[in-house]
Amino acid sequence: MTVRLKDLPTEELLHKGNLACAGCPEMVGFRHVLRALGPETIVINATGCLAVITQMGVPKVPHFHVLFENAPAVVSGIDDALRVQGRREGVNLLVVAGDGGTADIGLGSLSGAIERGQDFVYVCFDNEMYMNTGGQRSGTTPYLARTTTTPVGAESRGEPRTEMRRKDMVEIAVAHGIPYAASASIGYPLDLVERVEKAARVRGPTYIHVHSPCPTGWGMDPAKTVEAAQLAVKTGCVVLYEVEDGKRRITRGVARRAPVEEYLRLQSRFRHVVADPVALAEVQRGVDERYAALLARMA
Amino acid sequence: MTTEFWNGNRAAAEAARQARVQVVAAYPITPQTHTVEYLSEYVAAGRLDARLVRVESEHSALSACCGASAVGARTFTASCSQGLQLMSEVLYFASGMRFPIVMAIANRTLSVPVSIWADHQDTLVNRDCGWIQLYAASVQEVYDLVLMAFRTAEDPRVHLPAMVAYDGFILSHASEPVEALPDEEIRALLPPEPPHLRPLLDPNDPKQFGEVLFPDFYPDIEYKKHRALEESLEVMGEAFEDFHSRTGRRLSPVETHGCEDAEIVLVGLGSMMQTARHAATRLRAEGTKVGVAQVRVYRPFPDRDLVEAVGGARTVLVLDRDIGYGSAGMVYPDVTRALYHAPSRPDVLNFIVGTGGKDITPKTIERCVELGRHGYRGMSVFWPDARGPAEGIAYTPGVKA
Ligand SMILES: Cc1ncc(C[n+]2csc(CCOP(=O)(O)OP(=O)(O)O)c2C)c(N)n1
Ligand code: SF4
Ligand SMILES: [Mg+2]
């Protein structure tokens, strides 16, 4: 069922105000995710920006900030404890984490929880770097992006790992035989809500990877968060799709992809790329290759 | 009461089963592995209504226990050595959140060099993480202390996690007769069926946990946690009393043997203190007045009980089955701190024995007593087991008197 604006749940589950930077994508995404899941939800929050900024803007549901890498294990214990006590029915267990907590340090823990078939919705807010510690690279940082640990200098052009080897969390989840996984974007809230609602109906582990352009880390005008998120999709840097029982389906297709430059231009972390036609072509090629590989999997 | 013939791991698992744990999460590591295997069997056979979280690491094992505890379940885990070290970060999380998790530990040293054998390095490096630490000297004690750990940890005055440590192989794998309690007795001994603990995470009463605390308030929380751990000694004392009245077995924070008129008192943790008793009896027959003080409750540290146990002894020999590299054994500073203010203020010497599973025989103990008889003489830390300089014993020079 497609979610339309008038179907959006109206109950706000966040108290007003928060500690985020202006234009923060995680706060936008979190708000929608909570609304989609409703008040019978327990939130397990891995360390990262979101855990800090919700010190204010506190959720109106139980909110447990745990360690950086153990949220999937904590939710496993909650899932099993509620089950053995006969109190599991009707409660959504939501894990929220950043790309660092998910693709890097918490990958083993997430893998274990999915493999065990624990019942939870996992939402990763991917801002493509470690923002809570000030913007270091992560396993999802795009090729040639400047971060504090992949600076641009005489011997370095930014993130050296190619686009094809960038960690693909949806596919990693799918490789576990997960019943439901999807990508989503804070630029498309109706689609995001639909993905989350669908995940909540599934019994067992579900994974949603939410692209979250971060003005602070990416060197962007805070007014452009949503625009950047949409451009990421329009250029094919991000593909919105879902995987149900192994079957992949594009949830928001792009008829003609725009050149990546339109997306990169908004971000100072790519300034050296935009200024260098060779680097720009390389980035475009990387995105094309990754896009083609993903589309080939759809068939 | 029935007499069973159990090894230490079995005793720990049986106690956890009788405590009706609801969530067990653990990861295999020698020599602890059997504990989880036994519990898996109990669940498979329908003897225990619990869920096993078959985690992919010790870090996740303790994290899963934290999750279960956060919704009010009684939880149990087991580990040691490398596994316990991998949990290190979560140990503080568990005590900071005041989760009354109970963990059994079949002590094993830390790599490298690789060794699967017993010493107390693994638990002692984690002595200051806000957990109760109990050390068993026999399989019976493993059983008894796991029960006492649940009772004390879950007491509302305490609400802290607890570790029960017992020497790998020496206690984990060796079978001894154990007096087991009937289930009804244990029901009476322990707090009521969970969730008697109010779940922290409850959609009907939403709250936020695990959050940032600014420097202004941090000391208050630290002080409360510290005090709760200190006061758990009294709570445990009540539990020991109740246990005694039900079983006739008397547990105490410091177990003494022949200390009353002793000139030399041996102090230490775990199974080696049984050997020490044996050696002390022999030495006594030969005319040396040796007493033994087994520290059973190590965190909180029972200062007063220790001072009482040592009494008027002239010399105290601390047997450390561990080494705080660059300093002394790790039990030693606790003992010297407690005795510094004791009326008698005895000489306190430190012996590093039995590391990496080196056998501690009556001869080892006698050697320590022999060295101790000569007094302090500018040396405080002795290594009777190690191949060292000159007279065959390596030592770390102490502060000159
Ligand atoms: C074990 C551990 N290592 C390192 C840290 C420091 N740390 C806290 S958050 C963070 C990065 C978070 O990045 P990400 O998961 O992408 O979330 P974001 O802040 O970008 O939303 C790091 C490195 C920590 N808290 N714990
Ligand atoms: S750094 Fe980025 S993700 Fe973090 S609070 Fe600021 S805008 Fe949000
Ligand atoms: Mg991030």
Side-chain angles (χ1 to χ4, degrees), chain B residues 222-263:
Chain B
E222 289 293 84
Y223 178 70
K224 275 191 178 159
K225 182 171 161 184
H226 173 68
R227 290 295 298 155
L229 186 52
E230 283 195 330
E231 279 161 18
S232 71
L233 198 57
E234 205 174 310
V235 175
M236 218 173 321
E238 291 167 21
F240 288 168
E241 273 308 310
D242 189 19
F243 187 76
H244 177 242
S245 69
R246 290 171 194 282
T247 65
R249 289 200 289 279
R250 195 174 277 293
L251 294 164
S252 53
V254 177
E255 174 93 30
T256 58
H257 284 264
C259 285
E260 304 72 28
D261 62 340
E263 284 164 4

Side-chain angles (χ1 to χ4, degrees), chain A residues 26 48-49 97-101 124-132 136 138 140 212 214:
Chain A
E26 298 199 3
C49 274
D99 47 299
C124 170
F125 292 108
D126 184 5
N127 54 13
E128 302 178 346
M129 60 213 302
Y130 298 169
M131 275 320 296
N132 193 42
Q136 299 77 35
S138 82
T140 67
S212 309
C214 160

Side-chain angles (χ1 to χ4, degrees), chain B residues 163-305:
Chain B
M163 297 179 194
V164 177
Y166 47 96
D167 293 314
F169 293 108
I170 301 164
L171 293 177
S172 69
H173 283 57
S175 293
E176 294 176 1
V178 176
E179 296 292 320
L181 302 178
D183 287 355
E184 316 83 67
E185 198 68 61
I186 286 180
R187 203 152 281 162
L189 198 61
L190 296 190
E193 190 86 31
H196 63 93
L197 307 169
R198 194 175 55 77
L200 295 186
L201 304 175
D202 179 3
N204 297 317
D205 182 19
K207 289 199 171 65
Q208 194 174 48
F209 292 98
E211 296 307 334
V212 173
L213 188 65
F214 288 98
D216 216 15
F217 296 101
Y218 214 91
D220 302 299
I221 291 289
E222 289 293 84
Y223 178 70
K224 275 191 178 159
K225 182 171 161 184
H226 173 68
R227 290 295 298 155
L229 186 52
E230 283 195 330
E231 279 161 18
S232 71
L233 198 57
E234 205 174 310
V235 175
M236 218 173 321
E238 291 167 21
F240 288 168
E241 273 308 310
D242 189 19
F243 187 76
H244 177 242
S245 69
R246 290 171 194 282
T247 65
R249 289 200 289 279
R250 195 174 277 293
L251 294 164
S252 53
V254 177
E255 174 93 30
T256 58
H257 284 264
C259 285
E260 304 72 28
D261 62 340
E263 284 164 4
I264 298 178
V265 173
L266 294 157
V267 177
L269 314 172
S271 67
M272 67 177 167
M273 299 320 282
Q274 300 268 25
T275 314
R277 273 188 224 174
H278 179 80
T281 310
R282 224 157 70 183
L283 287 164
R284 226 168 228 286
E286 290 166 10
T288 315
K289 287 183 183 161
V290 179
V292 175
Q294 175 209 337
V295 179
R296 186 178 280 129
V297 179
Y298 180 62
R299 282 293 179 271
F301 193 75
D303 296 25
R304 253 176 299 167
D305 302 72

Side-chain angles (χ1 to χ4, degrees), chain A residues 39-44 51-52 54-56 58-70 73-85 87 91 108-113 115-116 118, chain B residues 22-23 49-56 59-61 63-74 89-90 93 97 99 194-195 199-214:
Chain A
E40 297 298 311
T41 301
I42 293 175
V43 186
I44 313 304
V52 176
T54 48
Q55 299 288 292
M56 266 177 69
V58 174
K60 297 177 188 174
V61 296
H63 182 229
F64 192 13
H65 167 218
V66 295
L67 299 171
F68 191 16
E69 68 288 62
N70 73 347
V74 174
V75 85
S76 302
I78 296 176
D79 181 28
D80 278 14
L82 291 178
R83 233 170 255 273
V84 80
Q85 297 178 350
R87 299 191 290 138
V91 181
S109 159
L110 175 57
S111 171
E115 188 224 351
R116 286 190 297 275
Q118 310 279 177
Chain B
Q22 295 176 316
V23 173
D49 182 20
R51 303 235 355 150
L52 295 160
V53 193
R54 295 174 181 90
V55 285
E56 74 298 331
H59 195 283
S60 287
S63 298
C65 287
C66 288
S69 211
V71 288
R74 186 169 286 167
E89 183 194 22
V90 196
F93 184 77
M97 286 302 305
F99 291 142
L200 295 186
L201 304 175
D202 179 3
N204 297 317
D205 182 19
K207 289 199 171 65
Q208 194 174 48
F209 292 98
E211 296 307 334
V212 173
L213 188 65
F214 288 98

Side-chain angles (χ1 to χ4, degrees), chain A residues 17-41:
Chain A
N18 62 66
L19 297 172
C21 316
C24 175
E26 298 199 3
M27 215 58 211
V28 174
F30 188 43
R31 173 173 167 236
H32 290 307
V33 170
L34 279 184
R35 288 216 295 192
L37 289 177
E40 297 298 311
T41 301

Side-chain angles (χ1 to χ4, degrees), chain B residues 323-380:
Chain B
I323 173 65
Y325 306 108
S327 173
M330 288 183 259
V331 178
Y332 182 67
D334 278 309
V335 175
T336 48
R337 186 182 56 78
L339 295 180
Y340 185 78
H341 300 288
S344 60
R345 202 184 300 166
D347 267 0
V348 191
L349 308 188
N350 193 198
F351 297 86
I352 309 301
V353 291
T355 56
K358 178 97 176 179
D359 262 346
I360 297 175
T361 65
K363 272 217 154 43
T364 317
I365 309 288
E366 283 167 19
R367 186 81 208 283
C368 297
V369 172
E370 179 57 33
L371 288 161
R373 244 211 293 247
H374 293 114
Y376 182 73
R377 295 195 309 170
M379 266 192 258
S380 61

